[in-house]
């Protein structure tokens, strides 16, 4: 297993598990982010969590990696579009483990686009062979730690990230 699909699978699995654990918070965040009613937000939340779980599972199965990457790329692209539509607005986007309403900025949008781009790389490029499983897991966990660190940095308000 290569580190990149494992990293993306971890991000998706953590996200799906967090949605299941904090359903009420995420239903509200999803409704607000998508601009739909609370009941439609709940439905979108369930669909997104299921798609994330399926994509995560596919990414760890070598024969299904491309399918998982395609699902992930579509999810993160839709998320980036929803964030872009709400840029500058103060809301809990569901990006963190803690409810932190803050202005949606370029960093949030770029993070979703970067994840979509990494998933797209898996669609078009063959996976590298010969990566030892322990090395792939440690690399994926290191990238996950950096991802969470970057997420914390994005929680710091920055005036340049606000909508003009």
């Amino acid at each position: 297993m290569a580190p990149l699909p494992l990293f993306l699978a971890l991000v998706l699995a953590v996200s799906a598990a967090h949605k299941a654990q904090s359903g009420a918070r995420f239903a509200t965040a999803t409704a607000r982010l998508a601009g739909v009613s609370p009941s439609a937000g709940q439905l979108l939340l369930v669909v997104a969590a299921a798609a994330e779980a399926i994509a995560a599972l596919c990414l760890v199965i070598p024969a299904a990696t491309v399918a998982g990457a395609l699902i992930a790329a579509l999810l993160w692209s839709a998320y980036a579009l929803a964030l872009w539509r709400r840029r500058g607005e103060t809301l809990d986007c569901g990006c963190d483990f803690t409810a932190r309403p803050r202005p949606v900025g370029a960093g949030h949008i770029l993070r979703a686009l970067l994840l979509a781009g990494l998933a797209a790389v898996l669609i078009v490029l063959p996976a590298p062979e010969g990566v030892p499983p322990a090395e792939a897991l440690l690399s994926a966990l290191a990238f996950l730690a950096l991802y969470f660190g970057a997420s914390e940095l994005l929680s710091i308000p920055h005036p340049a990230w606000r909508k003009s």
Side-chain angles (χ1 to χ4, degrees):
M1 163 123 309
L4 181 57
L6 189 52
F7 162 68
L8 295 177
L10 287 169
V11 171
L12 290 162
V14 166
S15 182
H18 194 216
K19 283 178 179 63
Q21 187 261 340
S22 302
R25 172 188 163 217
F26 279 100
T28 302
T30 301
R32 179 114 191 258
L33 190 60
V36 297
S37 70
S39 60
Q42 181 67 43
L43 178 62
L44 279 175
L45 174 68
V46 171
V47 170
E52 287 170 341
I54 291 167
L57 181 61
C58 289
L59 283 167
V60 297
I61 300 171
T65 299
V66 171
L70 181 60
I71 295 167
L74 291 172
L75 278 169
W76 282 317
S77 295
Y79 184 53
L81 179 60
L83 287 169
W84 182 79
R85 288 181 52 231
R86 299 288 181 206
R87 68 192 180 284
E89 292 182 27
T90 299
L91 56 90
D92 174 14
C93 64
C95 308
D96 300 317
F97 290 119
T98 306
R100 278 191 268 212
R102 62 181 186 254
V104 175
H108 304 99
I109 299 164
L110 291 174
R111 176 179 51 190
L113 289 174
L114 175 65
L115 289 169
L118 289 173
V121 165
L122 292 177
I123 296 169
V124 297
L125 295 179
E129 295 182 27
V131 178
E135 195 173 293
L137 178 60
L138 289 175
S139 297
L141 289 171
F143 281 122
L144 188 64
L146 290 171
Y147 174 79
F148 288 145
S151 181
E152 288 301 309
L153 290 174
L154 284 174
S155 70
I156 300 169
H158 191 282
W161 294 351
R162 296 203 173 129
K163 185 178 181 179
S164 304

PDB file of all heavy atoms in Angstrom, residues 84-120:
ATOM      1  N   TRP A  84     -16.486  27.948  -1.116  1.00  0.00           N
ATOM      2  CA  TRP A  84     -16.287  29.145  -1.948  1.00  0.00           C
ATOM      3  C   TRP A  84     -17.550  30.004  -1.962  1.00  0.00           C
ATOM      4  O   TRP A  84     -17.476  31.231  -1.888  1.00  0.00           O
ATOM      5  CB  TRP A  84     -15.883  28.739  -3.359  1.00  0.00           C
ATOM      6  CG  TRP A  84     -15.628  29.912  -4.233  1.00  0.00           C
ATOM      7  CD1 TRP A  84     -14.511  30.694  -4.278  1.00  0.00           C
ATOM      8  CD2 TRP A  84     -16.524  30.462  -5.191  1.00  0.00           C
ATOM      9  NE1 TRP A  84     -14.665  31.697  -5.197  1.00  0.00           N
ATOM     10  CE2 TRP A  84     -15.891  31.572  -5.779  1.00  0.00           C
ATOM     11  CE3 TRP A  84     -17.804  30.116  -5.612  1.00  0.00           C
ATOM     12  CZ2 TRP A  84     -16.503  32.341  -6.764  1.00  0.00           C
ATOM     13  CZ3 TRP A  84     -18.410  30.876  -6.587  1.00  0.00           C
ATOM     14  CH2 TRP A  84     -17.751  31.994  -7.152  1.00  0.00           C
ATOM     15  N   ARG A  85     -18.709  29.344  -2.051  1.00  0.00           N
ATOM     16  CA  ARG A  85     -19.980  30.081  -2.048  1.00  0.00           C
ATOM     17  C   ARG A  85     -20.206  30.817  -0.730  1.00  0.00           C
ATOM     18  O   ARG A  85     -20.914  31.808  -0.685  1.00  0.00           O
ATOM     19  CB  ARG A  85     -21.148  29.125  -2.299  1.00  0.00           C
ATOM     20  CG  ARG A  85     -21.202  28.622  -3.723  1.00  0.00           C
ATOM     21  CD  ARG A  85     -22.388  27.680  -3.980  1.00  0.00           C
ATOM     22  NE  ARG A  85     -23.645  28.262  -3.561  1.00  0.00           N
ATOM     23  CZ  ARG A  85     -24.528  27.648  -2.767  1.00  0.00           C
ATOM     24  NH1 ARG A  85     -24.285  26.450  -2.285  1.00  0.00           N
ATOM     25  NH2 ARG A  85     -25.657  28.232  -2.452  1.00  0.00           N
ATOM     26  N   ARG A  86     -19.619  30.334   0.350  1.00  0.00           N
ATOM     27  CA  ARG A  86     -19.812  30.919   1.681  1.00  0.00           C
ATOM     28  C   ARG A  86     -18.583  31.705   2.156  1.00  0.00           C
ATOM     29  O   ARG A  86     -18.523  32.101   3.318  1.00  0.00           O
ATOM     30  CB  ARG A  86     -20.119  29.819   2.707  1.00  0.00           C
ATOM     31  CG  ARG A  86     -21.366  29.053   2.413  1.00  0.00           C
ATOM     32  CD  ARG A  86     -22.567  29.894   2.670  1.00  0.00           C
ATOM     33  NE  ARG A  86     -23.779  29.117   2.404  1.00  0.00           N
ATOM     34  CZ  ARG A  86     -24.910  29.661   2.064  1.00  0.00           C
ATOM     35  NH1 ARG A  86     -25.013  30.957   1.953  1.00  0.00           N
ATOM     36  NH2 ARG A  86     -25.954  28.913   1.829  1.00  0.00           N
ATOM     37  N   ARG A  87     -17.620  31.957   1.263  1.00  0.00           N
ATOM     38  CA  ARG A  87     -16.381  32.631   1.675  1.00  0.00           C
ATOM     39  C   ARG A  87     -16.716  33.977   2.321  1.00  0.00           C
ATOM     40  O   ARG A  87     -17.599  34.697   1.868  1.00  0.00           O
ATOM     41  CB  ARG A  87     -15.420  32.784   0.505  1.00  0.00           C
ATOM     42  CG  ARG A  87     -15.881  33.729  -0.568  1.00  0.00           C
ATOM     43  CD  ARG A  87     -15.030  33.607  -1.843  1.00  0.00           C
ATOM     44  NE  ARG A  87     -15.481  34.528  -2.858  1.00  0.00           N
ATOM     45  CZ  ARG A  87     -16.563  34.378  -3.620  1.00  0.00           C
ATOM     46  NH1 ARG A  87     -17.313  33.302  -3.477  1.00  0.00           N
ATOM     47  NH2 ARG A  87     -16.883  35.279  -4.526  1.00  0.00           N
ATOM     48  N   GLY A  88     -15.993  34.258   3.404  1.00  0.00           N
ATOM     49  CA  GLY A  88     -16.200  35.492   4.139  1.00  0.00           C
ATOM     50  C   GLY A  88     -17.292  35.419   5.189  1.00  0.00           C
ATOM     51  O   GLY A  88     -17.308  36.218   6.116  1.00  0.00           O
ATOM     52  N   GLU A  89     -18.193  34.468   5.069  1.00  0.00           N
ATOM     53  CA  GLU A  89     -19.255  34.317   6.064  1.00  0.00           C
ATOM     54  C   GLU A  89     -18.680  33.630   7.303  1.00  0.00           C
ATOM     55  O   GLU A  89     -17.810  32.776   7.196  1.00  0.00           O
ATOM     56  CB  GLU A  89     -20.405  33.475   5.514  1.00  0.00           C
ATOM     57  CG  GLU A  89     -21.179  34.155   4.410  1.00  0.00           C
ATOM     58  CD  GLU A  89     -22.337  33.300   3.923  1.00  0.00           C
ATOM     59  OE1 GLU A  89     -22.862  32.476   4.708  1.00  0.00           O
ATOM     60  OE2 GLU A  89     -22.699  33.441   2.747  1.00  0.00           O
ATOM     61  N   THR A  90     -19.182  33.995   8.455  1.00  0.00           N
ATOM     62  CA  THR A  90     -18.755  33.352   9.688  1.00  0.00           C
ATOM     63  C   THR A  90     -19.704  32.199   9.975  1.00  0.00           C
ATOM     64  O   THR A  90     -20.911  32.400  10.126  1.00  0.00           O
ATOM     65  CB  THR A  90     -18.760  34.356  10.857  1.00  0.00           C
ATOM     66  OG1 THR A  90     -17.839  35.401  10.541  1.00  0.00           O
ATOM     67  CG2 THR A  90     -18.355  33.691  12.154  1.00  0.00           C
ATOM     68  N   LEU A  91     -19.143  30.997  10.014  1.00  0.00           N
ATOM     69  CA  LEU A  91     -19.931  29.809  10.300  1.00  0.00           C
ATOM     70  C   LEU A  91     -19.027  28.679  10.758  1.00  0.00           C
ATOM     71  O   LEU A  91     -17.817  28.735  10.595  1.00  0.00           O
ATOM     72  CB  LEU A  91     -20.757  29.378   9.087  1.00  0.00           C
ATOM     73  CG  LEU A  91     -20.042  29.112   7.759  1.00  0.00           C
ATOM     74  CD1 LEU A  91     -19.625  27.674   7.639  1.00  0.00           C
ATOM     75  CD2 LEU A  91     -20.980  29.457   6.621  1.00  0.00           C
ATOM     76  N   ASP A  92     -19.649  27.669  11.338  1.00  0.00           N
ATOM     77  CA  ASP A  92     -18.941  26.441  11.681  1.00  0.00           C
ATOM     78  C   ASP A  92     -19.029  25.561  10.442  1.00  0.00           C
ATOM     79  O   ASP A  92     -20.077  25.016  10.129  1.00  0.00           O
ATOM     80  CB  ASP A  92     -19.603  25.769  12.885  1.00  0.00           C
ATOM     81  CG  ASP A  92     -19.009  24.400  13.199  1.00  0.00           C
ATOM     82  OD1 ASP A  92     -17.926  24.072  12.684  1.00  0.00           O
ATOM     83  OD2 ASP A  92     -19.636  23.659  13.979  1.00  0.00           O
ATOM     84  N   CYS A  93     -17.914  25.452   9.731  1.00  0.00           N
ATOM     85  CA  CYS A  93     -17.927  24.694   8.473  1.00  0.00           C
ATOM     86  C   CYS A  93     -17.801  23.197   8.702  1.00  0.00           C
ATOM     87  O   CYS A  93     -17.839  22.414   7.762  1.00  0.00           O
ATOM     88  CB  CYS A  93     -16.818  25.187   7.545  1.00  0.00           C
ATOM     89  SG  CYS A  93     -15.155  24.915   8.171  1.00  0.00           S
ATOM     90  N   GLY A  94     -17.603  22.776   9.952  1.00  0.00           N
ATOM     91  CA  GLY A  94     -17.435  21.362  10.225  1.00  0.00           C
ATOM     92  C   GLY A  94     -16.025  20.880   9.938  1.00  0.00           C
ATOM     93  O   GLY A  94     -15.779  19.686   9.847  1.00  0.00           O
ATOM     94  N   CYS A  95     -15.107  21.805   9.779  1.00  0.00           N
ATOM     95  CA  CYS A  95     -13.731  21.482   9.395  1.00  0.00           C
ATOM     96  C   CYS A  95     -12.903  20.953  10.558  1.00  0.00           C
ATOM     97  O   CYS A  95     -11.848  20.374  10.343  1.00  0.00           O
ATOM     98  CB  CYS A  95     -13.027  22.726   8.859  1.00  0.00           C
ATOM     99  SG  CYS A  95     -13.893  23.593   7.563  1.00  0.00           S
ATOM    100  N   ASP A  96     -13.339  21.193  11.786  1.00  0.00           N
ATOM    101  CA  ASP A  96     -12.526  20.899  12.965  1.00  0.00           C
ATOM    102  C   ASP A  96     -13.238  19.936  13.901  1.00  0.00           C
ATOM    103  O   ASP A  96     -14.431  19.703  13.791  1.00  0.00           O
ATOM    104  CB  ASP A  96     -12.237  22.192  13.742  1.00  0.00           C
ATOM    105  CG  ASP A  96     -11.498  23.219  12.916  1.00  0.00           C
ATOM    106  OD1 ASP A  96     -10.567  22.839  12.205  1.00  0.00           O
ATOM    107  OD2 ASP A  96     -11.870  24.399  12.995  1.00  0.00           O
ATOM    108  N   PHE A  97     -12.485  19.477  14.881  1.00  0.00           N
ATOM    109  CA  PHE A  97     -13.060  18.622  15.913  1.00  0.00           C
ATOM    110  C   PHE A  97     -13.922  19.427  16.876  1.00  0.00           C
ATOM    111  O   PHE A  97     -14.772  18.882  17.556  1.00  0.00           O
ATOM    112  CB  PHE A  97     -11.946  17.903  16.690  1.00  0.00           C
ATOM    113  CG  PHE A  97     -11.247  16.860  15.873  1.00  0.00           C
ATOM    114  CD1 PHE A  97      -9.897  16.955  15.603  1.00  0.00           C
ATOM    115  CD2 PHE A  97     -11.938  15.772  15.359  1.00  0.00           C
ATOM    116  CE1 PHE A  97      -9.254  16.000  14.849  1.00  0.00           C
ATOM    117  CE2 PHE A  97     -11.304  14.811  14.597  1.00  0.00           C
ATOM    118  CZ  PHE A  97      -9.954  14.917  14.345  1.00  0.00           C
ATOM    119  N   THR A  98     -13.696  20.717  16.933  1.00  0.00           N
ATOM    120  CA  THR A  98     -14.430  21.606  17.834  1.00  0.00           C
ATOM    121  C   THR A  98     -15.281  22.562  17.009  1.00  0.00           C
ATOM    122  O   THR A  98     -14.853  23.010  15.949  1.00  0.00           O
ATOM    123  CB  THR A  98     -13.433  22.433  18.677  1.00  0.00           C
ATOM    124  OG1 THR A  98     -12.540  21.543  19.329  1.00  0.00           O
ATOM    125  CG2 THR A  98     -14.138  23.265  19.697  1.00  0.00           C
ATOM    126  N   ALA A  99     -16.459  22.873  17.506  1.00  0.00           N
ATOM    127  CA  ALA A  99     -17.295  23.877  16.835  1.00  0.00           C
ATOM    128  C   ALA A  99     -16.621  25.231  17.000  1.00  0.00           C
ATOM    129  O   ALA A  99     -16.504  25.736  18.106  1.00  0.00           O
ATOM    130  CB  ALA A  99     -18.688  23.893  17.436  1.00  0.00           C
ATOM    131  N   ARG A 100     -16.142  25.777  15.885  1.00  0.00           N
ATOM    132  CA  ARG A 100     -15.468  27.078  15.910  1.00  0.00           C
ATOM    133  C   ARG A 100     -16.006  27.926  14.769  1.00  0.00           C
ATOM    134  O   ARG A 100     -15.439  27.916  13.681  1.00  0.00           O
ATOM    135  CB  ARG A 100     -13.964  26.913  15.706  1.00  0.00           C
ATOM    136  CG  ARG A 100     -13.205  26.552  16.918  1.00  0.00           C
ATOM    137  CD  ARG A 100     -11.735  26.698  16.636  1.00  0.00           C
ATOM    138  NE  ARG A 100     -11.187  25.440  16.177  1.00  0.00           N
ATOM    139  CZ  ARG A 100      -9.948  25.050  16.425  1.00  0.00           C
ATOM    140  NH1 ARG A 100      -9.121  25.825  17.062  1.00  0.00           N
ATOM    141  NH2 ARG A 100      -9.528  23.901  15.996  1.00  0.00           N
ATOM    142  N   PRO A 101     -17.075  28.648  14.989  1.00  0.00           N
ATOM    143  CA  PRO A 101     -17.521  29.544  13.922  1.00  0.00           C
ATOM    144  C   PRO A 101     -16.429  30.565  13.613  1.00  0.00           C
ATOM    145  O   PRO A 101     -15.848  31.153  14.517  1.00  0.00           O
ATOM    146  CB  PRO A 101     -18.751  30.225  14.508  1.00  0.00           C
ATOM    147  CG  PRO A 101     -19.212  29.305  15.592  1.00  0.00           C
ATOM    148  CD  PRO A 101     -17.964  28.680  16.135  1.00  0.00           C
ATOM    149  N   ARG A 102     -16.130  30.712  12.340  1.00  0.00           N
ATOM    150  CA  ARG A 102     -15.105  31.657  11.901  1.00  0.00           C
ATOM    151  C   ARG A 102     -15.344  31.972  10.436  1.00  0.00           C
ATOM    152  O   ARG A 102     -16.041  31.242   9.747  1.00  0.00           O
ATOM    153  CB  ARG A 102     -13.719  31.090  12.129  1.00  0.00           C
ATOM    154  CG  ARG A 102     -13.483  29.827  11.333  1.00  0.00           C
ATOM    155  CD  ARG A 102     -12.097  29.282  11.601  1.00  0.00           C
ATOM    156  NE  ARG A 102     -11.853  28.163  10.735  1.00  0.00           N
ATOM    157  CZ  ARG A 102     -11.849  26.910  11.130  1.00  0.00           C
ATOM    158  NH1 ARG A 102     -12.060  26.606  12.378  1.00  0.00           N
ATOM    159  NH2 ARG A 102     -11.622  25.949  10.281  1.00  0.00           N
ATOM    160  N   PRO A 103     -14.752  33.044   9.956  1.00  0.00           N
ATOM    161  CA  PRO A 103     -14.933  33.380   8.547  1.00  0.00           C
ATOM    162  C   PRO A 103     -14.329  32.299   7.645  1.00  0.00           C
ATOM    163  O   PRO A 103     -13.210  31.831   7.886  1.00  0.00           O
ATOM    164  CB  PRO A 103     -14.169  34.694   8.383  1.00  0.00           C
ATOM    165  CG  PRO A 103     -14.039  35.249   9.754  1.00  0.00           C
ATOM    166  CD  PRO A 103     -13.986  34.067  10.680  1.00  0.00           C
ATOM    167  N   VAL A 104     -15.084  31.899   6.652  1.00  0.00           N
ATOM    168  CA  VAL A 104     -14.582  30.934   5.675  1.00  0.00           C
ATOM    169  C   VAL A 104     -13.619  31.689   4.767  1.00  0.00           C
ATOM    170  O   VAL A 104     -13.981  32.707   4.177  1.00  0.00           O
ATOM    171  CB  VAL A 104     -15.730  30.316   4.856  1.00  0.00           C
ATOM    172  CG1 VAL A 104     -15.188  29.413   3.769  1.00  0.00           C
ATOM    173  CG2 VAL A 104     -16.686  29.565   5.768  1.00  0.00           C
ATOM    174  N   GLY A 105     -12.397  31.200   4.681  1.00  0.00           N
ATOM    175  CA  GLY A 105     -11.382  31.902   3.917  1.00  0.00           C
ATOM    176  C   GLY A 105     -10.734  31.047   2.851  1.00  0.00           C
ATOM    177  O   GLY A 105     -11.074  29.880   2.655  1.00  0.00           O
ATOM    178  N   ALA A 106      -9.788  31.655   2.188  1.00  0.00           N
ATOM    179  CA  ALA A 106      -9.081  30.992   1.097  1.00  0.00           C
ATOM    180  C   ALA A 106      -8.388  29.717   1.564  1.00  0.00           C
ATOM    181  O   ALA A 106      -8.328  28.726   0.827  1.00  0.00           O
ATOM    182  CB  ALA A 106      -8.064  31.956   0.480  1.00  0.00           C
ATOM    183  N   GLY A 107      -7.863  29.727   2.777  1.00  0.00           N
ATOM    184  CA  GLY A 107      -7.175  28.545   3.282  1.00  0.00           C
ATOM    185  C   GLY A 107      -8.079  27.330   3.358  1.00  0.00           C
ATOM    186  O   GLY A 107      -7.665  26.213   3.025  1.00  0.00           O
ATOM    187  N   HIS A 108      -9.321  27.525   3.768  1.00  0.00           N
ATOM    188  CA  HIS A 108     -10.278  26.419   3.854  1.00  0.00           C
ATOM    189  C   HIS A 108     -10.606  25.881   2.465  1.00  0.00           C
ATOM    190  O   HIS A 108     -10.680  24.673   2.251  1.00  0.00           O
ATOM    191  CB  HIS A 108     -11.552  26.878   4.552  1.00  0.00           C
ATOM    192  CG  HIS A 108     -11.303  27.455   5.891  1.00  0.00           C
ATOM    193  ND1 HIS A 108     -11.244  28.811   6.100  1.00  0.00           N
ATOM    194  CD2 HIS A 108     -11.059  26.879   7.086  1.00  0.00           C
ATOM    195  CE1 HIS A 108     -10.994  29.034   7.368  1.00  0.00           C
ATOM    196  NE2 HIS A 108     -10.860  27.877   7.987  1.00  0.00           N
ATOM    197  N   ILE A 109     -10.801  26.783   1.540  1.00  0.00           N
ATOM    198  CA  ILE A 109     -11.132  26.396   0.170  1.00  0.00           C
ATOM    199  C   ILE A 109      -9.946  25.676  -0.466  1.00  0.00           C
ATOM    200  O   ILE A 109     -10.103  24.625  -1.097  1.00  0.00           O
ATOM    201  CB  ILE A 109     -11.543  27.630  -0.659  1.00  0.00           C
ATOM    202  CG1 ILE A 109     -12.781  28.284  -0.034  1.00  0.00           C
ATOM    203  CG2 ILE A 109     -11.790  27.259  -2.112  1.00  0.00           C
ATOM    204  CD1 ILE A 109     -13.056  29.701  -0.509  1.00  0.00           C
ATOM    205  N   LEU A 110      -8.750  26.238  -0.277  1.00  0.00           N
ATOM    206  CA  LEU A 110      -7.552  25.620  -0.856  1.00  0.00           C
ATOM    207  C   LEU A 110      -7.271  24.247  -0.250  1.00  0.00           C
ATOM    208  O   LEU A 110      -6.798  23.346  -0.948  1.00  0.00           O
ATOM    209  CB  LEU A 110      -6.349  26.543  -0.697  1.00  0.00           C
ATOM    210  CG  LEU A 110      -6.401  27.816  -1.535  1.00  0.00           C
ATOM    211  CD1 LEU A 110      -5.233  28.734  -1.192  1.00  0.00           C
ATOM    212  CD2 LEU A 110      -6.419  27.485  -3.020  1.00  0.00           C
ATOM    213  N   ARG A 111      -7.552  24.074   1.033  1.00  0.00           N
ATOM    214  CA  ARG A 111      -7.348  22.766   1.661  1.00  0.00           C
ATOM    215  C   ARG A 111      -8.225  21.714   0.988  1.00  0.00           C
ATOM    216  O   ARG A 111      -7.758  20.629   0.639  1.00  0.00           O
ATOM    217  CB  ARG A 111      -7.661  22.840   3.153  1.00  0.00           C
ATOM    218  CG  ARG A 111      -7.565  21.481   3.839  1.00  0.00           C
ATOM    219  CD  ARG A 111      -7.839  21.536   5.307  1.00  0.00           C
ATOM    220  NE  ARG A 111      -9.079  22.224   5.601  1.00  0.00           N
ATOM    221  CZ  ARG A 111      -9.462  22.582   6.812  1.00  0.00           C
ATOM    222  NH1 ARG A 111      -8.678  22.340   7.842  1.00  0.00           N
ATOM    223  NH2 ARG A 111     -10.606  23.196   7.004  1.00  0.00           N
ATOM    224  N   ALA A 112      -9.494  22.043   0.761  1.00  0.00           N
ATOM    225  CA  ALA A 112     -10.396  21.097   0.100  1.00  0.00           C
ATOM    226  C   ALA A 112      -9.945  20.826  -1.336  1.00  0.00           C
ATOM    227  O   ALA A 112      -9.974  19.684  -1.803  1.00  0.00           O
ATOM    228  CB  ALA A 112     -11.826  21.631   0.114  1.00  0.00           C
ATOM    229  N   LEU A 113      -9.492  21.868  -2.031  1.00  0.00           N
ATOM    230  CA  LEU A 113      -9.002  21.689  -3.402  1.00  0.00           C
ATOM    231  C   LEU A 113      -7.720  20.860  -3.439  1.00  0.00           C
ATOM    232  O   LEU A 113      -7.522  20.052  -4.354  1.00  0.00           O
ATOM    233  CB  LEU A 113      -8.777  23.039  -4.078  1.00  0.00           C
ATOM    234  CG  LEU A 113     -10.034  23.816  -4.442  1.00  0.00           C
ATOM    235  CD1 LEU A 113      -9.682  25.203  -4.961  1.00  0.00           C
ATOM    236  CD2 LEU A 113     -10.875  23.043  -5.459  1.00  0.00           C
ATOM    237  N   LEU A 114      -6.852  21.051  -2.454  1.00  0.00           N
ATOM    238  CA  LEU A 114      -5.626  20.260  -2.382  1.00  0.00           C
ATOM    239  C   LEU A 114      -5.953  18.786  -2.178  1.00  0.00           C
ATOM    240  O   LEU A 114      -5.377  17.918  -2.850  1.00  0.00           O
ATOM    241  CB  LEU A 114      -4.721  20.763  -1.259  1.00  0.00           C
ATOM    242  CG  LEU A 114      -3.458  19.941  -1.007  1.00  0.00           C
ATOM    243  CD1 LEU A 114      -2.521  20.016  -2.212  1.00  0.00           C
ATOM    244  CD2 LEU A 114      -2.753  20.413   0.245  1.00  0.00           C
ATOM    245  N   LEU A 115      -6.881  18.497  -1.277  1.00  0.00           N
ATOM    246  CA  LEU A 115      -7.278  17.102  -1.068  1.00  0.00           C
ATOM    247  C   LEU A 115      -7.912  16.514  -2.329  1.00  0.00           C
ATOM    248  O   LEU A 115      -7.631  15.367  -2.700  1.00  0.00           O
ATOM    249  CB  LEU A 115      -8.242  17.003   0.122  1.00  0.00           C
ATOM    250  CG  LEU A 115      -7.608  17.237   1.490  1.00  0.00           C
ATOM    251  CD1 LEU A 115      -8.689  17.384   2.561  1.00  0.00           C
ATOM    252  CD2 LEU A 115      -6.643  16.129   1.850  1.00  0.00           C
ATOM    253  N   ALA A 116      -8.736  17.299  -3.002  1.00  0.00           N
ATOM    254  CA  ALA A 116      -9.330  16.834  -4.266  1.00  0.00           C
ATOM    255  C   ALA A 116      -8.242  16.572  -5.304  1.00  0.00           C
ATOM    256  O   ALA A 116      -8.289  15.582  -6.042  1.00  0.00           O
ATOM    257  CB  ALA A 116     -10.331  17.858  -4.795  1.00  0.00           C
ATOM    258  N   GLY A 117      -7.245  17.455  -5.349  1.00  0.00           N
ATOM    259  CA  GLY A 117      -6.134  17.276  -6.286  1.00  0.00           C
ATOM    260  C   GLY A 117      -5.313  16.043  -5.975  1.00  0.00           C
ATOM    261  O   GLY A 117      -4.897  15.316  -6.898  1.00  0.00           O
ATOM    262  N   LEU A 118      -5.063  15.784  -4.694  1.00  0.00           N
ATOM    263  CA  LEU A 118      -4.323  14.571  -4.320  1.00  0.00           C
ATOM    264  C   LEU A 118      -5.100  13.318  -4.712  1.00  0.00           C
ATOM    265  O   LEU A 118      -4.521  12.340  -5.183  1.00  0.00           O
ATOM    266  CB  LEU A 118      -4.026  14.577  -2.819  1.00  0.00           C
ATOM    267  CG  LEU A 118      -2.992  15.576  -2.339  1.00  0.00           C
ATOM    268  CD1 LEU A 118      -2.926  15.587  -0.816  1.00  0.00           C
ATOM    269  CD2 LEU A 118      -1.626  15.285  -2.938  1.00  0.00           C
ATOM    270  N   ALA A 119      -6.411  13.353  -4.526  1.00  0.00           N
ATOM    271  CA  ALA A 119      -7.237  12.217  -4.944  1.00  0.00           C
ATOM    272  C   ALA A 119      -7.193  12.064  -6.462  1.00  0.00           C
ATOM    273  O   ALA A 119      -7.114  10.940  -6.979  1.00  0.00           O
ATOM    274  CB  ALA A 119      -8.669  12.397  -4.456  1.00  0.00           C
ATOM    275  N   ALA A 120      -7.198  13.174  -7.184  1.00  0.00           N
ATOM    276  CA  ALA A 120      -7.136  13.115  -8.650  1.00  0.00           C
ATOM    277  C   ALA A 120      -5.816  12.511  -9.127  1.00  0.00           C
ATOM    278  O   ALA A 120      -5.782  11.808 -10.146  1.00  0.00           O
ATOM    279  CB  ALA A 120      -7.328  14.508  -9.244  1.00  0.00           C
TER     280      ALA A 120
END
